[in-house]
Amino acid sequence: MSTVETGRAPAHGPGGASGEETGAGDAARATPPLDGPRTSGGAVPRGQFASLAKGMTKELVRDPMALFFSVVFPVLLAGLFVAIMQLTWADGPFKIAVVGSDSQAAQLADALGDGSKVAALDSPRGAPEGMDAVVTPTADGDALRVLTDPESPSVVTALRDALPQTGWEGRGIDALGTDGTPPFEPMPFVVPGVLVFALMSLALSATAGTLVSLRANGTLRLLRTTPATPQAILTSLLPARGALGLALLAVAGVAATALGLLTPLSALTMLLTTALGMWLLMSVGFLLGGTLRSPELTNAIAGLLTPLLLMGSGVLFPLELMPDGFADVLSWNPVALLGDALRHDVTGGVTRHAQWLDWLLIAATAAVLTFAAVRAFRWDTEKKN
């Protein structure tokens, strides 16, 4: 990360040569000295906060590694997951039994294609053995109950893709395996997981690392000599990161909508979940960025913490593949709760807790971490005797 001008010497780029100045230094110079105007109560004027936010935005834009790990790398990771699942996820043909008419069975068979066979039944109890799925419309006709063979979880995805071409267009699918567990579907798992990974990278790489660098090169101490309040200085980092978080949510939302995983109502709850997740993860970023002394140490901790949290929270590695007792304990960590809440928002997501409970625990954890970050924050990296 490039250094920031402190008012004593020109800024230097990563290679050490004198070069362009970073945005935070621009904001420091644009903010009047201590005798400048203040609003009532000592609050920083709106124009000065805008200058601070603009400077912090430039700082983020000029950090290519932070943008890479927050935007580009999660997209590449999503593409890798999709490619792996396309190669390993079993396709048809399937053997399916449908409680309904022969015409409905024929429509479904035509929609599935690939040689799948669909038999019409009068009752689900009459389904022959060896079926990949038994489909039963609910009494109100608004949904389809699908009982699947645990060895053929991909049949649910195939059915979901085929519904628009049948008389059941717009129906929801309530799927359950014969072993009593919900079938795993890759895309409802991947989309929330990649979004959590992107938000975590934004909080750790693009926030904690930036804060430590600003503390280490004296920029934050310089900003405190201006009329800007401490709260204004620190919150000026949030607009750019909030906008980037919304952009990441928009990309995930477009992908989920294109895959048929998102409805207008669930898009609103996904916005709320993402906002709570941003609060949680940014509080972690501010806690690390306000206490650690070295950018190199911060990057090392972020590089270690990110895969541990992602793999140990069921975000990129299904907890169902772990021993039950171990998975149950891990499902209560805050990142796991965030992933669980996001899977509530996509069609076909397998969840462990009620969404309101996920939200409550995420908010409570974020509040505690925010309090800790405020109390532990240090404006520079020098050790105090």
Side-chain angles (χ1 to χ4, degrees):
M1 181 176 295
S2 57
T3 58
V4 183
E5 184 173 5
T6 62
R8 294 184 297 273
H12 296 277
S18 176
E20 66 177 27
E21 299 167 346
T22 60
D26 297 339
R29 291 188 305 279
T31 308
L34 283 172
D35 58 355
R38 284 178 178 264
T39 58
S40 60
V44 64
R46 183 179 302 175
Q48 293 178 7
F49 178 80
S51 297
L52 286 169
K54 182 179 178 180
M56 295 303 180
T57 300
K58 290 181 179 180
E59 181 75 16
L60 177 62
V61 171
R62 291 172 179 174
D63 189 349
M65 292 303 294
L67 292 178
F68 174 81
F69 283 106
S70 299
V71 181
V72 179
F73 189 65
V75 173
L76 294 177
L77 183 66
L80 177 62
F81 269 99
V82 171
I84 292 175
M85 289 176 180
Q86 289 292 334
L87 294 174
T88 60
W89 198 241
D91 293 325
F94 301 106
K95 295 180 180 180
I96 300 174
V98 173
V99 177
S101 65
D102 290 334
S103 61
Q104 287 175 320
Q107 278 185 326
L108 182 57
D110 291 339
L112 288 169
D114 65 22
S116 294
K117 297 180 179 180
V118 182
L121 301 174
D122 294 328
S123 169
R125 296 181 180 179
E129 295 184 2
M131 290 285 122
D132 294 305
V134 178
V135 181
T136 307
T138 58
D140 56 14
D142 291 337
L144 301 175
R145 291 195 179 95
V146 180
L147 189 65
T148 67
D149 182 347
E151 300 297 324
S152 303
S154 57
V155 68
V156 179
T157 302
L159 285 170
R160 204 183 302 280
D161 294 340
L163 285 187
Q165 306 172 48
T166 68
W168 288 319
E169 182 178 3
R171 305 292 194 276
I173 290 183
D174 183 11
L176 192 67
T178 55
D179 59 355
T181 61
F184 175 80
E185 293 186 71
M187 295 316 298
F189 181 80
V190 169
V191 172
V194 171
L195 179 57
V196 172
F197 175 42
L199 296 177
M200 186 178 296
S201 298
L202 178 62
L204 297 181
S205 299
T207 302
T210 297
L211 265 177
V212 174
S213 294
L214 294 176
R215 290 168 54 230
N217 58 34
T219 299
L220 288 189
R221 187 187 300 172
L222 173 63
L223 287 172
R224 290 208 64 182
T225 66
T226 71
T229 63
Q231 295 86 348
I233 295 171
L234 295 180
T235 56
S236 66
L237 278 79
L238 297 179
R241 286 153 181 82
L244 185 53
L246 287 176
L248 294 170
L249 173 61
V251 171
V254 169
T257 301
L259 294 168
L261 303 178
L262 200 63
T263 65
L265 178 59
S266 61
L268 294 177
T269 58
M270 193 175 191
L271 178 61
L272 174 58
T273 303
T274 303
L276 289 172
M278 281 284 292
W279 180 20
L280 170 71
L281 296 172
M282 291 297 290
S283 64
V284 176
F286 272 83
L287 180 60
L288 295 178
T291 54
L292 298 177
R293 293 187 174 90
S294 164
E296 293 77 13
L297 177 61
T298 305
N299 292 332
I301 291 177
L304 177 64
L305 195 61
T306 298
L308 287 178
L309 287 175
L310 292 175
M311 300 299 287
S313 61
V315 173
L316 293 180
F317 184 82
L319 291 178
E320 287 73 19
L321 299 181
M322 300 181 181
D324 290 340
F326 192 46
D328 289 341
V329 172
L330 290 178
S331 72
W332 291 102
N333 83 69
V335 178
L337 293 171
L338 176 57
D340 191 74
L342 285 171
R343 282 190 287 273
H344 273 283
D345 298 325
V346 296
T347 303
V350 177
T351 60
R352 286 176 168 264
H353 313 295
Q355 190 173 39
W356 68 265
L357 181 59
D358 290 330
W359 287 341
L360 179 63
L361 294 176
I362 291 170
T365 305
V368 171
L369 290 174
T370 300
F371 177 78
V374 170
R375 293 299 300 269
F377 191 84
R378 298 292 179 266
W379 288 90
D380 53 42
T381 56
E382 296 178 1
K383 293 183 179 180
K384 296 183 179 181
N385 297 325

